[in-house]
Amino acid sequence: MRPEDILPTYDRVAAEFARTRDRTLFERKWLDRAIACAPGRKVLDLGCGPGVPIATYLTDRRCEVTGVDGAGAMVHLFQKNLPQSRVFHADMRGLDLQESFDMIVAWDSFFHLAVDDQRAMFSTFWTHAHDRTVLLFTTGPSAGEAIGRVGGETVYHASLDPSEYRGLLAEHGFEELAFVPEDPTCNGHSVWLARYRG
């Protein structure tokens, strides 16, 4: 399993992923915290998947969600689940939508990228940020690679060391608001929350 296999894999397993995706909203605490810190409710959801439960929850909280996913099958499901929201079939790497957002979310998506692509993504976050934009993303708890499973297939994950993520955030004008590795209140997810300060 390689990073370049991720999008074809998610295209193949989209329906099964959507059927089995945890919908208990264990992410709610972090989503609510991000909304509370953001200057508005215009949200960019990178690696949006089928839009359930995260984009749906954000929409229910009166957010205007724009989804982006590199897997066409996921984009189709997002359009079906959230017909009132915009969604783009595009790779998040090098993305430039020519607009900024109040909140950028990369939940369980960014960590599928190779480490060099993760480093480059901080320029993409910066491109879509304005004063006080909030950035919410998940990683691994420490540097390394791992193989997981989704929809019966294997998927690649990678993570930098937390100190490197901190350096990349600072280099691109983001201040760290919180980092909780393997948060026990969030199904063991390692979660970052940051805010753009210019």
Side-chain angles (χ1 to χ4, degrees), residues 25-37 57-58 103 105 107 134-138 177-187 189-194:
L25 267 174
F26 60 83
E27 312 93 340
R28 183 193 309 260
K29 176 188 75 172
W30 285 100
L31 295 171
D32 286 346
R33 186 171 179 184
I35 291 169
C37 292
Y57 178 71
L58 292 171
M103 186 168 138
V105 179
W107 191 277
V134 167
L135 173 62
L136 178 67
F137 64 100
T138 53
L177 299 180
F179 170 56
V180 180
E182 299 181 326
D183 183 355
T185 71
C186 192
N187 276 15
H189 283 61
S190 297
V191 188
W192 293 84
L193 184 66

Side-chain angles (χ1 to χ4, degrees), residues 34-155:
I35 291 169
C37 292
R41 303 230 168 175
K42 184 179 178 185
V43 179
L44 176 61
D45 186 356
L46 295 170
C48 61
V52 180
I54 288 178
T56 302
Y57 178 71
L58 292 171
T59 300
D60 289 344
R61 296 296 307 275
R62 302 182 305 284
C63 292
E64 176 191 341
V65 179
T66 295
V68 173
D69 205 291
M74 291 294 191
V75 170
H76 174 75
L77 291 171
F78 186 99
Q79 289 172 322
K80 180 179 176 182
N81 291 326
L82 291 100
Q84 75 279 22
S85 297
R86 291 190 304 167
V87 64
F88 294 94
H89 181 200
D91 195 317
M92 71 172 73
R93 294 169 293 186
L95 182 73
D96 186 355
L97 296 179
Q98 301 289 310
E99 60 184 299
S100 61
F101 295 82
D102 301 311
M103 186 168 138
I104 301 169
V105 179
W107 191 277
D108 285 1
S109 57
F110 168 79
F111 63 14
H112 286 308
L113 302 179
V115 291
D116 283 342
D117 289 330
Q118 290 190 32
R119 294 180 179 112
M121 275 300 299
F122 285 83
S123 291
T124 299
F125 297 149
W126 175 85
T127 295
H128 295 92
H130 56 68
D131 186 39
R132 299 183 65 79
T133 291
V134 167
L135 173 62
L136 178 67
F137 64 100
T138 53
T139 66
S142 58
E145 295 179 305
I147 301 299
R149 294 191 67 81
V150 62
E153 298 203 30
T154 56
V155 287

